[in-house]
Amino acid sequence: MLDNNCIFCKIIKGEIPSAKVYEDEKMLVFKDIQPKAKVHLLAIAKNHFPYLDGMDGEQTELIAYMLKKIPQIAKENGCENGYRLIINQGESAGQTVFHVHIHIMGGEILPW
């Protein structure tokens, strides 16, 4: 189920354009509009839920599916030598869109 007020849900529905690099029936991956690395992609679930906390079984399976797909997507997009995955949870962690998403960052040596 999608949320009509969520920017990522609007991207999934095609209401807001994005630079897509991968899409299937369960997930969408696109370039971050404010990249923090040479390669900075966002992998979003095509099921709206704001946090990992309280996921149901279907949502847990969806995250596992995404984590299985990400290595190949990362390699195909310039992260052959490694990449970092980030999932921000809550405002204090820097989450600004409350729709579970995974940052895929790489293409260079990343500082901490």
Side-chain angles (χ1 to χ4, degrees), residues 39-97:
V39 175
H40 188 167
L41 308 173
L42 295 175
I44 61 174
K46 285 190 171 180
N47 179 354
H48 180 87
F49 54 103
Y51 306 105
L52 295 174
D53 185 33
M55 289 187 302
D56 63 24
E58 182 178 318
Q59 293 163 338
T60 300
E61 288 177 14
L62 179 54
I63 294 298
Y65 175 85
M66 292 172 68
L67 290 172
K68 285 183 179 181
K69 289 285 191 178
I70 285 173
Q72 187 61 39
I73 295 165
K75 287 177 187 169
E76 290 172 355
N77 285 278
C79 297
E80 300 86 3
N81 295 319
Y83 54 92
R84 181 177 296 160
L85 300 180
I86 300 172
I87 304 174
N88 296 320
Q89 294 291 278
E91 290 179 32
S92 294
Q95 186 178 9
T96 58
V97 178

